[in-house]
Amino acid sequence: MDLRQLNYFITIVEEKQITKAAKKLHMAQPPLSNQLKVMEKELNCKLLDRNGRALELTESGKILYEKGKALLANFEDTISEIKEVGEGLKGVLSIGADQTCLSYLPEKIKLMHERYPNLCFKIIEGDSFFLKKSLINKEIDLAILQQPIENDNFFSIGLDLEEFVLATPVQWKLPNPIQIEDLKDLPFLSFYRHRSCSTFRIIIDEFKRHGFEPNIICECIDIAMVISLINEGLGVTILPKTSLDKFSNQGIQIINFKNCNIQSNATIVWSKDRYLAKHAMNFLELFTEETHLLTRGTICQSQ
């Protein structure tokens, strides 16, 4: 017995007549009657008894009707859910993000939730090395990094450029704006785990361009911990301004530079060899709606 035959049987039961059921199913009566006989023969039991012009369920028929109706409903729900996932209406969107790029997410996730309320989100924090590995291992759908991945195996969308700023203890009373040379003797807190990280290299290169290297006294990958250390007067750090906005009232001062060319170059990245689900495409389009850097046709290259 297949789902088609089960649907025939349920329709016959609910219409109480084969003639009415055939009309509802848009088929002739003889083939429908024959299908009922085939089911009864396969199950080796009587499913319906005739009571005058109406049909009544046997005990076996009652079981088949109740179980079959639940089975068909579950099957239809499954089909609907699959279609909704395919259309980006449901599912889980896994987003990796460098901690300095988390500020790009709240507004976009809010928009996604408003448009697709049945969609769930999973946010994974990590540095570029961890997130690149997660993309390759297909553990996340896409990632927002501080610098582009120099690898032909990834697609990417560049986001708006943003200046880096200096975060210092409030009590230090440093000038604002400040010359980068004024950081020469200040204790520096490095936020990046790997010294080969592209953003770390860019910062170090900027110091070198001004004739010195920073006095790194601590390396930490947790931005909240770095802010706590600054609040305690331990040192300073350089980060994108938006990544510091939520900490601006926590005992730190945000200072602009007079002569620093470091810019945030945040990028959304996803793997070329992975099928990009519809909900991930919908998320990417939230950025392209504003930046117009990529058309939907370009995004579809990833499929």
Side-chain angles (χ1 to χ4, degrees), residues 96 131-132 135 140-151 153-158 266-272 276 284:
L131 295 176
K132 179 180 176 181
L135 285 168
I140 55 177
D141 296 307
L142 45 85
I144 302 183
L145 309 174
Q146 192 53 245
Q147 298 292 332
I149 295 178
E150 297 176 359
N151 191 314
N153 294 321
F154 295 94
F155 287 113
S156 64
I157 302 174
T267 306
I268 306 179
V269 179
W270 67 100
S271 177
K272 286 184 177 180
L276 195 64
L284 289 173

Side-chain angles (χ1 to χ4, degrees), residues 98-110:
D98 183 317
Q99 285 192 61
T100 63
C101 298
L102 288 173
S103 58
Y104 288 97
L105 293 179
E107 179 186 358
K108 298 300 188 291
I109 289 178
K110 179 183 178 183

Side-chain angles (χ1 to χ4, degrees), residues 251-264:
I252 67 169
Q253 182 180 9
I254 297 175
I255 296 177
N256 297 314
F257 285 105
K258 284 184 179 180
N259 59 342
C260 178
N261 293 323
I262 307 173
Q263 287 184 320
S264 168

Side-chain angles (χ1 to χ4, degrees), residues 177-200:
I178 194 171
Q179 300 270 7
I180 197 166
E181 290 85 356
D182 295 335
L183 275 59
K184 184 175 182 180
D185 297 320
L186 296 181
F188 191 80
L189 309 177
S190 175
F191 176 70
Y192 300 96
R193 174 184 295 171
H194 298 280
R195 295 199 172 203
S196 58
C197 171
S198 57
T199 304
F200 178 84

Side-chain angles (χ1 to χ4, degrees), residues 62-74:
K62 289 179 181 178
I63 295 173
L64 181 61
Y65 175 72
E66 292 172 1
K67 299 289 186 180
K69 192 169 183 180
L71 180 62
L72 276 183
N74 185 56

Side-chain angles (χ1 to χ4, degrees), residues 31-295:
L32 183 57
S33 297
N34 185 59
Q35 287 296 321
L36 178 59
K37 292 177 183 178
V38 170
M39 285 186 280
E40 290 179 328
K41 183 177 180 180
E42 180 181 345
L43 296 172
N44 194 29
C45 64
K46 193 77 170 174
L47 297 173
L48 293 165
D49 282 328
R50 186 174 295 278
N51 183 8
R53 297 183 62 183
L55 296 172
E56 294 183 350
L57 286 166
T58 64
E59 289 302 314
S60 297
K62 289 179 181 178
I63 295 173
L64 181 61
Y65 175 72
E66 292 172 1
K67 299 289 186 180
K69 192 169 183 180
L71 180 62
L72 276 183
N74 185 56
F75 178 75
E76 289 170 357
D77 287 346
T78 300
I79 295 300
S80 296
E81 186 170 350
I82 291 171
K83 288 181 177 179
E84 287 180 352
V85 171
E87 293 169 358
L89 303 178
K90 293 185 70 174
V92 178
L93 176 59
S94 298
I95 307 168
D98 183 317
Q99 285 192 61
T100 63
C101 298
L102 288 173
S103 58
Y104 288 97
L105 293 179
E107 179 186 358
K108 298 300 188 291
I109 289 178
K110 179 183 178 183
L111 286 172
M112 284 290 286
H113 178 67
E114 290 173 351
R115 298 182 186 184
Y116 312 103
N118 294 319
L119 186 65
C120 293
F121 303 89
K122 184 177 182 181
I123 300 174
I124 307 296
E125 292 183 26
D127 58 27
S128 58
F129 293 90
F130 171 79
L131 295 176
K132 179 180 176 181
K133 183 178 179 181
S134 298
L135 285 168
I136 292 172
N137 293 337
K138 300 183 179 180
E139 296 168 348
I140 55 177
D141 296 307
L142 45 85
I144 302 183
L145 309 174
Q146 192 53 245
Q147 298 292 332
I149 295 178
E150 297 176 359
N151 191 314
D152 292 336
N153 294 321
F154 295 94
F155 287 113
S156 64
I157 302 174
L159 304 181
D160 292 339
L161 296 176
E162 180 189 6
E163 297 296 329
F164 275 63
V165 294
L166 182 70
T168 79
V170 170
Q171 61 268 30
W172 284 16
K173 306 298 182 182
L174 296 176
N176 189 6
I178 194 171
Q179 300 270 7
I180 197 166
E181 290 85 356
D182 295 335
L183 275 59
K184 184 175 182 180
D185 297 320
L186 296 181
F188 191 80
L189 309 177
S190 175
F191 176 70
Y192 300 96
R193 174 184 295 171
H194 298 280
R195 295 199 172 203
S196 58
C197 171
S198 57
T199 304
F200 178 84
R201 293 200 310 268
I202 289 172
I203 292 174
I204 297 302
D205 288 345
E206 182 67 14
F207 280 114
K208 290 180 178 179
R209 192 172 72 84
H210 291 271
F212 69 100
E213 293 191 16
N215 174 29
I216 298 175
I217 66 165
C218 179
E219 296 182 2
C220 178
I221 63 170
D222 183 3
I223 192 170
M225 175 56 72
V226 171
I227 296 303
S228 295
L229 295 174
I230 294 173
N231 187 28
E232 292 296 326
L234 190 64
V236 303
T237 196
I238 296 175
L239 287 169
K241 186 177 185 302
T242 54
S243 67
L244 291 167
D245 285 344
K246 64 180 179 180
F247 300 107
S248 59
N249 62 347
Q250 296 189 21
I252 67 169
Q253 182 180 9
I254 297 175
I255 296 177
N256 297 314
F257 285 105
K258 284 184 179 180
N259 59 342
C260 178
N261 293 323
I262 307 173
Q263 287 184 320
S264 168
N265 191 12
T267 306
I268 306 179
V269 179
W270 67 100
S271 177
K272 286 184 177 180
D273 64 358
R274 179 180 182 180
Y275 168 77
L276 195 64
K278 184 64 180 295
H279 53 248
M281 291 178 59
N282 292 337
F283 183 76
L284 289 173
E285 287 182 347
L286 293 181
F287 290 89
T288 62
E289 286 172 6
E290 294 182 358
T291 62
H292 305 291
L293 293 177
L294 203 63
T295 65

